Structure formats: structure tokens, C-alpha cells
Amino acid sequence: MSDSIKHIKSDKDLMDLSSEILGRTRIPFEKSEKEAWKEISNRMRSDQPVKESKTRFLHGSARIALAASLAMLISLTAFLRLYRVTTECQPGERLSVELPDGSLADLNENTQIYVHPLWWRLSRKVYQEGEVFYQVKSGKKFTVQTAQGTTEVLGTTFTVLARNEKFTVTCHSGSVRVKNASAKRSVVLSPNERAELTLRENFEISKINVERNSPAWENRLLVFTSSPLRSVFDEIEDLFDVQIETPGKLNFVYTGSLKTDQSADKIISLICRPFNLDYEKSSESEYTVIPGKGD
Amino acid sequence: MTEEGFKHLFETHFEEIRRYIFFRSGDTTISSDIAQETFMKVWEKQLDAKAGKDVALLYRIAGNLLISHFRKEKVSKKAQIEMRLEFKNEDHQELYYKELKEKYRKALQELTEKQRTVFMMSRMEQFTYNEISERLDISVKAVEKRMNGALKFLRQELDLK
């Protein structure tokens, strides 16, 4: 083409030519470096808040709203969770309490329970101190929490006594699981079984006779004040479904209280002793009271 | 990074980055935009690009921005580019020289992007191979290879034997 090209022999020459051509070349950028800087520094200023908002989760008011609704939610949950209704039964009183789902709690004297009624749907739990007979509507797990241990059932009737050191659970119907406070020991009770927590944190199970639908304490004590002896025996007959024959004349009056969670034999002998009477057992359910031989 | 430090970084490297994008894209508008975008990114993220040492970071950001621009615009990098170059003092030049320049400009357009970028950084910016390899984060060998490829192609295009 031309001389200046023709004398290019080596790469070096081509490189030099390139440098020469490109050295005389400028790239026609539309804006100068100064203009570019001006734009950037403007953006630096206006972008400052925008830049923050990039890392911000939500804008001002939405943030406050979110925080407020979170706080509301938390406090509402806390309220539902912590709101409790306490029922107290003074000495000498009896109370029957209906729990939120219709289950019944019969409180013996000197007893206190509380529940979280608003949280009841999520967990049926009663906190108890004293003695309570429960009639539980079937449903989800029902828990009785006491200082000494926990009792869990699904739907049954049972009595929990938790007073001072004593802790007994009596199952009237259904089945009941009892755990001690540390939850290390647990037993499952069948109807007519009573578990008592021993000092060594073991459960001792005993068979007892309880009514299916009434508290154990309701027929635990028979109290007589100057009652004719015959009427006392009538009561016993009804209670234990036995026949008691008595000699014709029996002019005694009886005053005293009797625990009914013991055998009929024992009770009859307890009644007879002060009057110097004795009894004979003619069959499983037939007794004959006779004058004692002593004295 | 202080505003002053940032301004210094800008003054030292803005033109270089802008030309780098031009070497790759041949588009002056895009080059200015992407170079500005690159520095905005450095400022927003407070990247510690110390003048000199971490220039490669600027090149990488700019290169990535260019690629994402191509992707966004759905423009193929392989599409024919037009290098807009203006030659100074053209009126005094002889005709053959003018023709040569035009031919040369067309040849540059035909180069692969990698070859052109390295070649123009070497010839226009007067960077040494070492400086190029630092900036583009490639080995000196790779720079040499691209340079040789570019020279071979140019020689052929300019009818030089």
C-alpha cells in the first residue's frame, strides 16, 4: 500500500505502527471525566438514604407496624398463655368446678387449683394443691400438675391428693398415668387402684374400692352421733352390701366416726368392741352380732 | 473509604476503566455508563480498592457489569461491533495514511474481544504485559498469547507479509 507499511517486517514494527496510530487516536466519549465525576458525586449524595434502604428490611412506618404487631402478637400469646383462673376451697368447704371443656373437678377442703382457660384448647392442664376428684371429658391429654408429680389421663375419673408430703392418685375409671416430679418414675393405674408416692420416690400401688363417679372422700368417713346401734348397722349393711343379724334388744347408742376404706369385718369389730359385743361371720356377706364373752 | 480517597481512586482509574470497557465493547456510551457504575459500586459497598494494588478489582467489577449488561440487553458479545475511533490531526495526513488508519480500525473490530482488549491496552494505554496481567488477573503468558494472536491477525488483515 504505502512505504510506511511496506517496510514493516517484524512484529516489532507492527507494534510500533500500532502504537503510533493508536497514540494519535482518541475515543470520542460523550462525557468528560469531570462530567462523569459530577454525576457520581451527585448520586453519592442522593443515594445515601437509598443505599441504606437497600439493607433495610422495611420502610419506616411498615417497620413500626411490624414491630407493633409482633409485640401485640407476643403479648396476646403471653396473655392467653399466662391468664389463669384460680379456685380456692377453704377448710370445711367443698366445691365443684367446671373446667373449660366441661370436665368436672370436685375440690375437697383446703384445696387450690388453677387453670389457663384461654390456653385450654392447646393443653388441658390443671395445677393443683390439695385433693381433687376429676371427671374428665374424653379428648386430648389431660394433665394434673402438682409439686410432687404429674398425672396424665385421656378421659376418666380419678382423684389426686397432693398435700404436704403426701401424694396419692386414685383411679376410679379409665386409666391414669402418674409420674413423680422428676418424671423418672411412672405407673399406669387401672380402675380401683391407688398409687402412693413413698419417701423413696417409688409408687406403691394398692387395691381399694372406690365409687366410679364420686370423690373418694365422700364416703370415706361415717359419722354417727348418738345413733341407735341398729341404725349404725343398717348403714353398714347398705355400704358394704352385707346382712348383719343383731340380737333382739340392743339398747346402745353409738358415737364415733369410721373410715370406710377398710374392710367390713374391721368396721363391725370396731363398732362392737366398746359395747362388749362380738360377731360371727356365717358367710361372705352375712354377719351375726352376739354378746361378747369377755368380762 | 473517605470521599477524598474515593475521589482519588476515581481520578486515577476512571479513564482507564472506561477505555477498558470500550476496548471490549467498542461502545462509548456503554463504556461511560459502566465505568460510572463500577465506581458507584465501589462506593456503595465501600470496597477497599487501594489505588494501584487492587485495580484488578475495578477491572473485574467493570467486566462483570459489562457481561450483565449484555445479558440484560440480550445483545450477543459476538455481534459485530463498531469501534468508534477518531484520529487527531487528520487534515495534515497523507491520503495513504488515512486509508491505513481506516483499514486498521476495521481490523481491530475483527479481532476477538480478548485479543483486542489486550492489544489495545498494550498499544494504546502503553501498559506492559505485567501491568495487563495484573489488571485482568490473567498470566503474562496468556497476555503474550493474546498479543501474538492479535498481531498475526492484524498482519494478515493489513496485507503485511
Side-chain angles (χ1 to χ4, degrees), chain A residues 222 224 227-247 249-254 258 264-280 287-291:
Chain A
L222 284 174
F224 300 100
S227 308
L229 198 53
R230 182 57 237 180
S231 69
V232 174
F233 284 130
D234 288 344
E235 287 274 339
I236 306 289
E237 280 182 338
D238 289 347
L239 190 62
F240 289 95
D241 196 19
V242 294
Q243 295 294 317
I244 303 172
E245 294 278 318
T246 48
K249 78 180 203 335
L250 202 61
N251 292 327
F252 298 120
V253 287
Y254 181 77
L258 294 162
D265 297 33
K266 185 89 196 268
I267 288 179
I268 294 171
S269 81
L270 279 173
I271 298 170
C272 290
R273 190 170 301 154
F275 306 109
N276 195 20
L277 296 170
D278 210 344
Y279 73 97
E280 278 174 354
Y287 298 82
T288 311
V289 175
I290 52 170

Side-chain angles (χ1 to χ4, degrees), chain A residues 41-154:
Chain A
S41 57
N42 280 342
R43 274 174 68 189
M44 274 161 69
R45 273 175 198 97
S46 62
D47 274 12
Q48 225 108 35
V50 180
K51 175 195 152 201
E52 246 175 58
S53 81
K54 273 182 186 165
T55 51
R56 202 190 283 167
F57 178 46
L58 282 169
H59 284 282
S61 58
R63 250 177 134 185
I64 293 165
L66 182 77
S69 46
L70 268 180
M72 286 262 287
L73 192 71
I74 290 167
S75 51
L76 183 67
T77 313
F79 175 70
L80 292 176
R81 181 75 189 85
L82 298 177
Y83 174 67
R84 59 155 106 159
V85 171
T86 305
T87 310
E88 216 171 322
C89 195
Q90 299 298 329
E93 275 185 345
R94 297 283 160 82
L95 265 181
S96 191
V97 180
E98 192 175 339
L99 300 173
D101 64 344
S103 299
L104 286 175
D106 288 323
L107 277 62
N108 200 355
E109 58 179 21
N110 197 15
T111 296
Q112 179 176 326
I113 63 167
Y114 70 85
V115 294
H116 298 298
L118 303 176
W119 202 253
W120 191 258
R121 273 171 177 281
L122 291 171
S123 118
R124 301 199 290 174
K125 196 163 190 175
V126 180
Y127 298 82
Q128 172 194 335
E129 200 190 323
E131 186 169 23
V132 182
F133 168 73
Y134 293 96
Q135 277 176 281
V136 179
K137 284 262 169 83
S138 53
K140 275 200 290 185
K141 192 170 80 178
F142 182 99
T143 310
V144 177
Q145 180 77 54
T146 62
Q148 297 90 338
T150 314
T151 312
E152 291 168 359
V153 300
L154 290 175

